[in-house]
Amino acid sequence: MDQSKILENTIKFVKTELKNAEGGHDWFHIERVFKNAILISKEESVDIFVVSLAALLHDIADAKFHNGDETLGPKKASEFLKQQKVAEKTLEHIINIIKHISFKNSLDKNASKFTSKELEVVQDADRLDAIGAIGIARCFNYGGFKNRAIYNPEILPELNLSKEAYKNSDAPSINHFYEKLLLLKDQMNTTTGKKIATERHRFMELYLEQFYNEWNGKL
């Protein structure tokens, strides 16, 4: 099966799997990450087929929507790729990207390590969708989905969270800016990712400034 057909089948598969997904982790999130990954890849020496498939499949079964099961996503992706007769070496690379892409796994000091240029590209592409205007929208959409407070001045952000503490947090949505979103700019891997992240980071800072002014009744 040729690569273009596999990509076409993958897009159909992901759209079907995520048709009822929460708005911040639906097909449109996947599509944006895919576009980001293609954009970043133009300045990187990477296997674009691996990047494309990893971007499309990275959230096929996000653990936070499946009782914290971090094995389901890689398993689903692997089964699908085998059906598409993707070469074993390519399949293993994609599954490793899916296993290691998430922010929460970066908080686990005991986690297994895996690096590749393709992981760096897809990770940057995913993290870019967590910041800026869309990142803000996704943050509050997920907070509403989980029935979390928008902001509570009495509940301070917790910095240096462990992976488990991060996964189990039910803090107000504004805290998420300090516990993750504002940290991502300095965690970008690629030159293109860093450039885009800098602009989106500044937008979030301006948003927070406006938010606090309105919260506190300032003009």
Side-chain angles (χ1 to χ4, degrees):
M1 193 178 298
D2 64 62
Q3 292 186 355
S4 61
K5 184 61 177 177
I6 292 173
L7 288 171
E8 181 183 325
N9 291 344
T10 305
I11 289 171
K12 290 179 181 177
F13 172 66
V14 175
K15 283 184 175 180
T16 299
E17 288 290 310
L18 300 182
K19 63 182 178 181
N20 296 316
E22 178 266 332
H25 298 81
D26 57 5
W27 160 250
F28 295 112
H29 163 64
I30 302 300
E31 185 178 43
R32 291 190 302 270
V33 172
F34 175 66
K35 289 177 179 177
N36 286 341
I38 297 301
L39 175 65
I40 295 169
S41 292
K42 292 178 180 179
E43 302 298 326
E44 303 293 331
S45 178
V46 293
D47 184 330
I48 195 65
F49 186 56
V50 169
V51 166
S52 298
L53 287 176
L56 290 168
L57 292 166
H58 80 278
D59 264 349
I60 197 62
D62 190 318
K64 61 179 164 284
F65 300 108
H66 296 277
N67 300 313
D69 185 352
E70 296 180 32
T71 67
L72 186 59
K75 181 182 177 184
K76 271 194 171 186
S78 180
E79 290 173 350
F80 171 78
L81 293 171
K82 286 177 181 176
Q83 291 172 4
Q84 301 302 307
K85 296 181 169 52
V86 171
E88 186 66 25
K89 186 176 180 181
T90 299
L91 186 153
E92 289 178 0
H93 192 173
I94 293 165
I95 298 307
N96 267 319
I97 291 173
I98 294 171
K99 286 180 177 179
H100 293 85
I101 190 174
S102 74
F103 173 79
K104 69 178 180 296
N105 284 340
S106 71
L107 302 175
D108 184 357
K109 306 307 178 186
N110 299 315
S112 60
K113 302 299 180 185
F114 170 80
T115 59
S116 75
K117 290 298 295 183
E118 288 76 12
L119 168 60
E120 291 180 355
V121 167
V122 181
Q123 191 172 62
D124 278 8
D126 186 36
R127 290 178 175 180
L128 284 174
D129 204 52
I131 59 178
I134 288 176
I136 292 170
R138 292 180 67 216
C139 175
F140 288 114
N141 192 83
Y142 183 72
F145 177 80
K146 299 293 286 186
N147 197 32
R148 294 177 180 171
I150 292 175
Y151 176 53
N152 184 337
E154 296 181 359
I155 302 176
L156 299 178
E158 292 187 47
L159 305 181
N160 302 312
L161 286 168
S162 67
K163 178 182 176 179
E164 286 306 308
Y166 177 83
K167 285 173 62 176
N168 296 323
S169 173
D170 59 358
S173 293
I174 284 292
N175 290 34
H176 193 57
F177 283 77
Y178 302 96
E179 294 168 354
K180 177 183 177 180
L181 308 188
L182 292 170
L183 306 178
L184 295 180
K185 174 176 69 72
D186 293 331
Q187 296 183 14
M188 291 291 159
N189 304 298
T190 65
T191 300
T192 303
K194 290 174 183 176
K195 180 180 178 181
I196 299 171
T198 298
E199 297 171 1
R200 297 189 183 189
H201 182 90
R202 180 56 183 153
F203 184 87
M204 292 193 298
E205 290 178 326
L206 291 171
Y207 172 82
L208 288 170
E209 182 180 336
Q210 180 71 15
F211 180 92
Y212 293 126
N213 283 341
E214 294 181 15
W215 187 274
N216 295 312
K218 295 181 179 180
L219 295 177

